[in-house]
Amino acid sequence: MGRVHRFLGLSVGLIQRGMTAEERRSNYRCDITYTNNSELGFDYLRDNLAGSSEQLVMRWPKPFNFAIVDEVDSVLIDEGRNPLLISGEASKDAARYPVAAKVAELLVRGFHYNVELKDNSVELTEEGIALAEMALETKDLWDENDPWARFVMNALKAKEFYRRDVQYIVRNGKALIINELTGRVEEKRRWSEGIHQAVEAKEGLKIEADSVVVAQITYQSLFKLYPKLSGMTGTAKTEEKEFLKMFQMPVIEVPTNLPNIRKDLPILAFATARGKWQHVREEVESMFRQGRPVLVGSTSVENSEYLSHLLREWKIPHNVLNARPKYAGREAEIVAQAGRKYAITISTNMAGRGTDIILGGNPKMLAKEIIEDGLLSFLTQDTPNTEVDGEPISQKVLSKIKVGPSSLALLAKTALMAKHVCKNEGKSWTYQEAKCIISESVQMGQSTDLQEMEMLVNEQSEMYPLGPSIALTYLSVLKDCETHCFNEGLEVKRLGGLHVIGTSLHESRRIDNQLRGRAGRQGDPGSTRFMVSLQDEMFQKFNFDTEWAVKLISKITNDEDIPIEGDAIVKQLLALQINAEKYFFGIRKSLVEFDEVLEVQRRHVYELRQLILTGDSESCSQHIFQYMQAVVDEIIFGNVDPLKHPSKWNFSKLLKEFKAIAGKILEDSFAAITDEALLKSVRHLHELRSVNIIDFHLPNLPSPPNTFRGIRRKSSSLKRWLAICSDDSTKDGRYQPTVNLLRKYLGDYLIASYLDIVKESGYDDAYVKEIERTVLLKTLDCFWRDHLVNMNRLSSAVNVRSFGHRNPLEEYKIDGCRFFISMLSATRRLTVESLLAYWSSPMESQELYVS
């Protein structure tokens, strides 16, 4: 698409894994930027953890303008509720996980604990608690000093809900997550809140350090940051109401270019899983005899390999595409072959892989394979580090691509050139480097026409132009592949096109429709068939009346392995899917509403952070002054009441707290001030008719050192006074003006003392501002990280309050707001204390803030 945009005069950027910060920064500043969703999310989070403006890569202060999201239903609905997390290392409780895993093995489901499949939750019974406490030699699983409950519950979740080859695979001593939507392994992702460690303990693997969330955002919250949001997908119509309600995005259905001639065959229901898999094998075998390509969609690695085993027993050649490296490494090759005559492909969640299956084969991919087969052995001595077992598709079954004599000649010539470059010029490439050379040359061939390429090869003939020669060979081979694939595609169409078999119904009709959509693309013929077993997980999860269904099947046939196509069964299955959709919509809606609370807080913190990070030195100082005044205000509001006479105020506590905040810098000036002196001064202040607000101080008390001099300082002081007067957080009362003047005096004294001690330190302004910015950011980050942990715990805890007839969402909003106000207050106080302590003895504190 970049070529189209550049033709229109737009600059185009690409963000991908492995880029440097400078490359990312440059590409984000283009008119149009293409990126993976997670890359975008993590760049946003990393920018809001940056320590300096030079580390920012996005286009601040307004990084978001307009987004077009590909496969928008998958991103905003399926993956929308999964947060992107950046974690830091937390407490190291690695030794507890294996112990908890052993305890989980002792506990029996249904007696010691109960499970709820719909929301993946477990609950210990009285018997389970007693056995766990006995095994762990503790009197209370929930003892704060020796907490075992979390570890035992996570171990039970790992035992019941996290299955090997379904939710994860084990590779090289690590438990790697399988993305349920794409079927791909996500090597850099880990489950949070101790779940991943519990899975590692279950498998007997090395326990990685526990982690704590330092930044998080969901895709839904991320894309809501865009003022204008749009997207595209082939399967959004069933979620039309959700898009409109949750994102204010209407769904517009665009008619297909060619009419859909795909045949969707009736759903087959089986009483047993054995019957389903046997029928799948028989249908695959029937299609194979006809020569029709078949795609079988499975929901897990485990199921895909079970079906592969059945087909191998019957000697039916096929390819498997799942999360295992021996298969995933051949993904492009497998998809390229999947539409060819006699091709059988078993795939986990093919619907998410984003590649069309072309009837007759993908000529571009097949041409690249021919180039690699012909040249890799000349470019490198390494052998590919990919394990391939099972039974690959036989070349006797798939007709061999016929390459013309001119292509063969070019291939032989390029092979000799590669051999010469390796031997005579001493070039040595690894297998992966050799593949990259071929890939780059193929890309060159795809972006340059044939005549240009021939001229380039001729011009560089004396220099052994390996790259252009490979590109030229590719273009020649591609023509032969296009002819072959076109002819084979016509033959496959006459046979009925691609046949898709779904081996279970998903929890959403939309995901089933994605799988159906693999057949009959672009007006081609095709057919689909779904086969379900009443023992499938979805039926157990939603308490489907399988007994009723089995009885109905028994009335029709005595053989439980024979499929039933009856309307009664199918209607029940579709009704179950709709109920599942409603259930998960409710969960997503609740999560969005909960996340909106955190989103408001996140925006406030991140906007504040960016202001500190990108603002000038003056704005940084203003933050410090505002913080100091806010800390003074909190101390005063906690000890005075404008409605009561000053004699009723708690001056003793007020002075104590004020001195504690200020530390050493007030030891001389405020040491001798007593409660009585302050009370007398405030009484005298109440009787004054007018005050000079610029050089104001309490009667009979010391003036602030170096009272604000210069236009900027006086302007800053006046602004603070106006802010104090307009503050509606104080109670109206007879003594409110006196309280405001007390706020002004103590605020002025603290700020002026700070400016005085900074000046006495002798450091230049640049260093002072660096320290101020560093302390502001580090303190904010520290408290925000703790706040995220508290909010995550709160979101789990408030659900229990529904038993007391209280609304969990309202409870979350109230407590979340209270937590946030407390977090901001603690941030301000620690920032002020840290800065005052630093400048009291800067040499002792340097290592803490400057690294």
Side-chain angles (χ1 to χ4, degrees):
M1 289 299 294
R3 296 171 70 186
V4 176
H5 299 318
R6 290 186 190 97
F7 173 77
L8 295 171
L10 300 169
S11 58
V12 182
L14 173 67
I15 305 295
Q16 58 187 357
R17 188 178 296 172
M19 280 186 166
T20 64
E22 188 55 47
E23 289 171 329
R24 288 174 178 270
R25 191 177 298 111
S26 173
N27 285 323
Y28 271 121
R29 279 148 186 75
C30 293
D31 297 320
I32 295 175
T33 304
Y34 283 86
T35 181
N36 175 281
N37 301 312
S38 62
E39 292 290 318
L40 173 73
F42 284 121
D43 277 339
Y44 174 70
L45 293 177
R46 279 191 292 264
D47 271 11
N48 284 291
L49 291 172
S52 66
S53 57
E54 290 75 24
Q55 294 173 359
L56 300 175
V57 297
M58 299 184 79
R59 196 194 320 220
W60 295 94
K62 292 184 178 180
F64 303 111
N65 296 289
F66 180 61
I68 303 174
V69 184
D70 193 18
E71 301 292 351
V72 66
D73 55 338
S74 176
V75 174
L76 294 185
I77 294 178
D78 298 331
E79 297 185 69
R81 64 181 187 265
N82 297 326
L84 297 170
L85 304 173
I86 293 181
S87 300
E89 199 168 295
S91 58
K92 297 181 179 180
D93 289 314
R96 290 180 182 255
Y97 289 102
V99 177
K102 294 292 183 186
V103 173
E105 289 177 14
L106 293 174
L107 302 177
V108 178
R109 177 175 171 176
F111 180 69
H112 294 118
Y113 64 95
N114 297 311
V115 304
E116 180 56 64
L117 291 171
K118 280 199 289 189
D119 57 6
N120 283 8
S121 63
V122 296
E123 182 182 5
L124 284 167
T125 63
E126 292 296 328
E127 293 80 4
I129 293 171
L131 179 58
E133 287 176 347
M134 183 180 71
L136 293 166
E137 298 179 352
T138 180
K139 292 181 180 179
D140 184 4
L141 288 178
W142 287 268
D143 183 354
E144 290 184 6
N145 298 319
D146 187 25
W148 275 104
R150 180 171 72 93
F151 298 95
V152 173
M153 301 300 268
N154 280 346
L156 289 172
K157 288 179 182 179
K159 174 183 174 181
E160 293 291 341
F161 308 127
Y162 294 82
R163 290 172 293 160
R164 186 169 179 164
D165 294 339
V166 180
Q167 278 79 24
Y168 66 93
I169 64 169
V170 175
R171 183 200 301 169
N172 299 330
K174 293 185 177 181
L176 303 177
I177 296 174
I178 298 174
N179 186 307
E180 293 179 23
L181 299 166
T182 64
R184 292 190 176 98
V185 170
E186 299 192 339
E187 299 196 23
K188 294 192 175 181
R189 187 179 147 212
R190 287 176 65 83
W191 289 302
S192 58
E193 298 179 355
I195 290 293
H196 212 104
Q197 286 81 1
V199 170
E200 289 168 336
K202 182 183 82 169
E203 294 290 344
L205 306 173
K206 179 186 175 184
I207 310 295
E208 299 290 334
D210 208 348
S211 60
V212 62
V213 176
V214 296
Q216 74 177 58
I217 193 168
T218 62
Y219 281 137
Q220 289 171 339
S221 295
L222 176 68
F223 284 105
K224 279 184 177 179
L225 295 173
Y226 282 92
K228 294 182 180 178
L229 178 63
S230 69
M232 50 199 167
T233 180
T235 49
K237 202 62 180 173
T238 55
E239 261 67 34
E240 184 173 16
K241 290 181 180 178
E242 183 166 352
F243 274 111
L244 197 57
K245 188 167 186 175
M246 306 302 292
F247 304 99
Q248 293 74 53
M249 293 168 64
V251 175
I252 299 170
E253 194 169 8
V254 180
T256 56
N257 181 38
L258 297 170
N260 180 14
I261 57 174
R262 184 187 73 228
K263 294 179 182 178
D264 293 327
L265 302 173
I267 296 173
L268 298 183
F270 296 82
T272 65
R274 182 188 67 244
K276 178 185 76 172
W277 291 115
Q278 288 297 333
H279 205 82
V280 170
R281 180 193 57 73
E282 289 169 8
E283 188 149 319
V284 169
E285 184 182 19
S286 171
M287 293 294 165
F288 177 69
R289 287 201 198 100
Q290 297 174 41
R292 285 185 67 182
V294 180
L295 169 66
V296 186
S298 67
T299 55
S300 68
V301 173
E302 182 182 47
N303 287 341
S304 67
E305 294 186 348
Y306 176 72
L307 179 57
S308 175
H309 172 71
L310 287 180
L311 295 184
R312 280 204 300 271
E313 282 185 345
W314 285 74
K315 295 188 169 39
I316 300 173
H318 61 279
N319 270 323
V320 178
L321 182 49
N322 63 30
R324 293 203 189 280
K326 59 192 175 189
Y327 302 127
R330 300 169 55 225
E331 180 174 341
E333 173 193 340
I334 292 169
V335 174
Q337 303 274 22
R340 298 194 63 196
K341 194 176 177 184
Y342 293 106
I344 309 294
T345 309
I346 304 168
S347 174
T348 51
N349 285 333
M350 188 67 190
R353 293 189 177 271
T355 306
D356 279 345
I357 294 174
I358 302 172
L359 299 185
N362 184 322
K364 290 183 178 179
M365 294 303 305
L366 294 173
K368 186 180 177 184
E369 283 178 37
I370 291 170
I371 297 294
E372 287 180 345
D373 289 344
L375 297 182
L376 279 174
S377 60
F378 295 95
L379 288 170
T380 180
Q381 299 300 313
D382 289 356
T383 54
N385 189 26
T386 55
E387 177 197 350
V388 178
D389 64 5
E391 205 168 307
I393 292 182
S394 167
Q395 289 300 315
K396 293 178 182 177
V397 178
L398 292 188
S399 58
K400 194 170 182 180
I401 303 292
K402 295 176 183 176
V403 177
S406 58
S407 297
L408 287 173
L410 282 170
L411 195 57
K413 181 180 176 182
T414 307
L416 284 172
M417 188 181 295
K419 189 176 180 181
H420 174 83
V421 169
C422 284
K423 279 192 175 182
N424 292 9
E425 298 190 13
K427 295 281 186 183
S428 178
W429 291 293
T430 64
Y431 181 80
Q432 287 303 323
E433 286 171 342
K435 287 201 75 167
C436 283
I437 290 170
I438 292 175
S439 294
E440 289 168 4
S441 302
V442 166
Q443 288 175 8
M444 184 195 302
Q446 290 172 345
S447 59
T448 313
D449 65 35
L450 185 60
Q451 288 183 337
E452 276 187 70
M453 194 57 63
E454 287 174 341
M455 285 176 59
L456 189 61
V457 170
N458 291 332
E459 286 171 4
Q460 299 180 8
S461 59
E462 295 180 3
M463 301 165 58
Y464 298 103
L466 186 57
S469 295
I470 294 173
L472 186 61
T473 307
Y474 167 78
L475 290 175
S476 180
V477 172
L478 178 60
K479 279 190 174 182
D480 298 332
C481 289
E482 285 172 343
T483 302
H484 181 94
C485 291
F486 176 77
N487 293 330
E488 189 170 311
L490 292 177
E491 194 173 346
V492 171
K493 288 176 187 178
R494 284 195 295 270
L495 293 169
L498 178 69
H499 182 59
V500 171
I501 301 174
T503 57
S504 67
L505 290 178
H506 288 80
E507 290 159 356
S508 167
R509 291 167 293 168
R510 180 173 46 80
I511 299 176
D512 291 341
N513 289 339
Q514 288 178 351
L515 186 58
R516 287 189 180 99
R518 288 293 163 195
R521 284 291 178 102
Q522 301 171 350
D524 289 339
S527 57
T528 67
R529 166 86 78 186
F530 275 79
M531 303 185 197
V532 298
S533 158
L534 301 181
Q535 295 176 342
D536 285 351
E537 186 177 351
M538 187 175 76
F539 302 107
Q540 299 171 27
K541 188 178 285 190
F542 289 91
N543 301 318
F544 181 69
D545 191 356
T546 53
E547 188 176 339
W548 165 83
V550 170
K551 284 179 181 177
L552 182 63
I553 292 172
S554 300
K555 287 179 182 178
I556 300 169
T557 174
N558 292 325
D559 190 349
E560 291 185 350
D561 291 344
I562 292 179
I564 299 300
E565 292 183 22
D567 287 343
I569 290 276
V570 172
K571 282 180 182 177
Q572 287 285 328
L573 296 178
L574 295 179
L576 179 69
Q577 265 192 318
I578 291 170
N579 287 337
E581 287 173 359
K582 289 178 180 176
Y583 173 78
F584 286 112
F585 169 68
I587 289 178
R588 290 193 295 269
K589 181 173 177 290
S590 175
L591 287 167
V592 167
E593 289 170 342
F594 271 69
D595 198 53
E596 281 174 351
V597 177
L598 192 59
E599 178 57 28
V600 172
Q601 299 173 358
R602 184 191 295 112
R603 285 195 187 193
H604 178 87
V605 169
Y606 284 178
E607 284 173 8
L608 174 61
R609 205 179 186 285
Q610 289 300 327
L611 205 60
I612 295 168
L613 203 61
T614 59
D616 56 20
S617 59
E618 189 61 31
S619 69
C620 197
S621 295
Q622 289 304 316
H623 278 296
I624 302 295
F625 300 160
Q626 287 171 11
Y627 277 19
M628 289 182 172
Q629 183 65 58
V631 168
V632 166
D633 290 348
E634 285 177 7
I635 293 171
I636 292 174
F637 291 149
N639 295 287
V640 308
D641 186 346
L643 299 172
K644 296 179 181 178
H645 188 273
S647 61
K648 303 291 184 182
W649 295 357
N650 193 342
F651 285 112
S652 175
K653 188 180 175 188
L654 189 153
L655 277 171
K656 183 179 178 182
E657 290 184 13
F658 183 65
K659 290 175 183 177
I661 287 289
K664 294 180 181 178
I665 67 169
L666 296 183
E667 283 180 352
D668 297 332
S669 54
F670 260 65
I673 296 178
T674 62
D675 306 353
E676 292 76 14
L678 188 56
L679 172 60
K680 183 179 178 181
S681 184
V682 168
R683 277 177 171 169
H684 183 56
L685 178 66
H686 183 65
E687 296 166 2
L688 293 176
R689 297 289 180 90
S690 64
V691 294
N692 178 2
I693 207 64
I694 298 297
D695 294 318
F696 169 74
H697 66 93
L698 286 183
N700 305 318
L701 291 181
S703 300
N706 293 325
T707 308
F708 302 94
R709 296 172 182 172
I711 298 297
R712 282 191 305 173
R713 294 287 186 239
K714 286 182 179 179
S715 173
S716 172
S717 178
L718 185 59
K719 282 180 182 177
R720 278 192 304 106
W721 170 243
L722 293 173
I724 288 170
C725 292
S726 61
D727 185 2
D728 58 3
S729 64
T730 55
K731 297 177 187 175
D732 290 332
R734 181 182 175 187
Y735 296 98
Q736 185 178 350
T738 306
V739 172
N740 285 343
L741 287 168
L742 180 61
R743 291 166 64 188
K744 175 78 166 67
Y745 170 69
L746 291 181
D748 279 358
Y749 208 103
L750 188 64
I751 293 168
S753 299
Y754 170 75
L755 292 172
D756 197 41
I757 198 170
V758 168
K759 186 178 179 182
E760 286 177 5
S761 70
Y763 289 102
D764 60 25
D765 285 347
Y767 181 79
V768 171
K769 298 314 168 194
E770 181 189 350
I771 293 298
E772 289 180 341
R773 184 170 279 120
T774 301
V775 173
L776 279 166
L777 290 176
K778 286 196 172 184
T779 310
L780 182 60
D781 288 349
C782 177
F783 279 102
W784 175 242
R785 181 186 64 203
D786 292 344
H787 180 69
L788 287 177
V789 173
N790 290 333
M791 291 296 283
N792 284 336
R793 289 174 180 167
L794 178 63
S795 66
S796 302
V798 291
N799 291 320
V800 180
R801 301 183 193 179
S802 60
F803 294 115
H805 304 289
R806 290 187 286 177
N807 185 325
L809 178 61
E810 292 303 316
E811 294 287 309
Y812 182 75
K813 286 179 179 178
I814 293 167
D815 282 1
C817 181
R818 183 167 55 82
F819 284 3
F820 189 62
I821 291 170
S822 176
M823 184 272 288
L824 292 178
S825 172
T827 301
R828 290 191 293 265
R829 184 164 290 218
L830 184 61
T831 300
V832 171
E833 287 178 350
S834 300
L835 282 170
L836 293 172
Y838 182 91
W839 292 113
S840 297
S841 52
M843 294 306 294
E844 295 175 15
S845 308
Q846 272 188 3
E847 290 184 7
L848 182 61
Y849 296 111
V850 182
S851 57

